[in-house]
Amino acid sequence: GEDLPEDNISSTKEDLATFVLQQVASELQIEDRKIAAFLLTHLDDDGLLTISLYEAARYLHVSMSKVLDIQRIIQRAEPYGVGSSTPQEALLAQLGILDETQVVPELAFRIVQEGMDEMTHRQYSELAKQFNTNIQNIQQIVRFIIDNLNPYPARSHWGDARQPAMSNLQVYRQPDII
């Protein structure tokens, strides 16, 4: 869609939703695609959900576990972590995907889960105490997180932000219909 007028502000958001939906559609039952499409129309510019899963479940009259299952499938699509409810959740989803193909530092999951605030504020000595390790170890893990993960999944894909290390895994599929 290079020939879209530049004043079409919503095109980027629609492109992201369409791009993700095309990736996950084959993994979903027909009726579940509606749920996925609904979630994907509620993404902000960072690729994070603007509604709670509870609201989505109520609106769609489906179980919370159904919405969670579909969110997990969406989070595994490119850009990884898309459709998460928070930056922290996006990082955890990305760590889970990375963990399948490479060695992830042992404390990375726990630092994101329990030490997100300290990590954001570079409180490495606090983290070292909290996780009973040394500051160098914490710095290495934080470096790994910064180099490999993006708390705002859509920025790595659609924005002009620095590409994360995972960007070379991205496969750009041409849409069937233009």
Side-chain angles (χ1 to χ4, degrees):
E2 288 83 35
D3 39 28
L4 281 172
E6 284 181 47
D7 56 347
N8 186 350
I9 293 159
S10 66
S11 68
T12 316
K13 199 171 282 187
E14 285 161 13
D15 290 347
L16 178 60
T18 306
F19 178 73
V20 175
L21 194 57
Q22 285 170 341
Q23 296 176 70
V24 299
S26 62
E27 296 174 53
L28 298 169
Q29 308 287 339
I30 303 290
E31 65 272 15
D32 291 349
R33 289 181 195 170
K34 285 197 287 269
I35 300 170
F38 180 81
L39 291 175
L40 290 168
T41 57
H42 289 86
L43 294 177
D44 64 15
D45 294 338
D46 294 328
L48 301 173
L49 287 175
T50 57
I51 53 162
S52 74
L53 296 181
Y54 174 72
E55 288 172 290
R58 271 196 36 208
Y59 180 82
L60 297 163
H61 307 290
V62 294
S63 72
M64 187 68 183
S65 64
K66 168 66 79 182
V67 176
L68 265 169
D69 289 344
I70 292 167
Q71 182 198 32
R72 280 193 205 103
I73 292 169
I74 290 172
Q75 287 173 317
R76 300 184 67 82
E78 296 274 355
Y80 297 135
V82 68
S84 295
S85 299
T86 63
Q88 181 181 31
E89 197 178 271
L91 293 177
L92 289 169
Q94 292 165 30
L95 274 175
I97 294 164
L98 269 187
D99 200 32
E100 294 166 16
T101 55
Q102 70 182 76
V103 179
V104 169
E106 211 174 306
L107 285 173
F109 283 95
R110 287 189 59 205
I111 288 175
V112 171
Q113 208 146 22
E114 304 160 36
M116 187 83 173
D117 207 42
E118 292 83 352
M119 180 175 67
T120 331
H121 295 100
R122 296 189 172 82
Q123 295 168 333
Y124 300 146
S125 57
E126 303 299 315
L127 288 169
K129 264 188 230 114
Q130 190 177 339
F131 297 107
N132 196 19
T133 186
N134 60 49
I135 291 179
Q136 288 75 14
N137 191 27
I138 293 292
Q139 286 171 324
Q140 276 178 319
I141 297 167
V142 170
R143 169 60 44 209
F144 175 89
I145 291 169
I146 291 168
D147 288 348
N148 292 285
L149 310 177
N150 190 329
Y152 307 105
R155 285 189 197 175
S156 66
H157 200 88
W158 304 94
D160 52 3
R162 183 179 64 81
Q163 288 286 328
M166 292 184 286
S167 62
N168 58 358
L169 300 175
Q170 287 171 353
V171 180
Y172 292 96
R173 290 189 215 147
Q174 285 300 312
D176 302 334
I177 307 158
I178 294 182

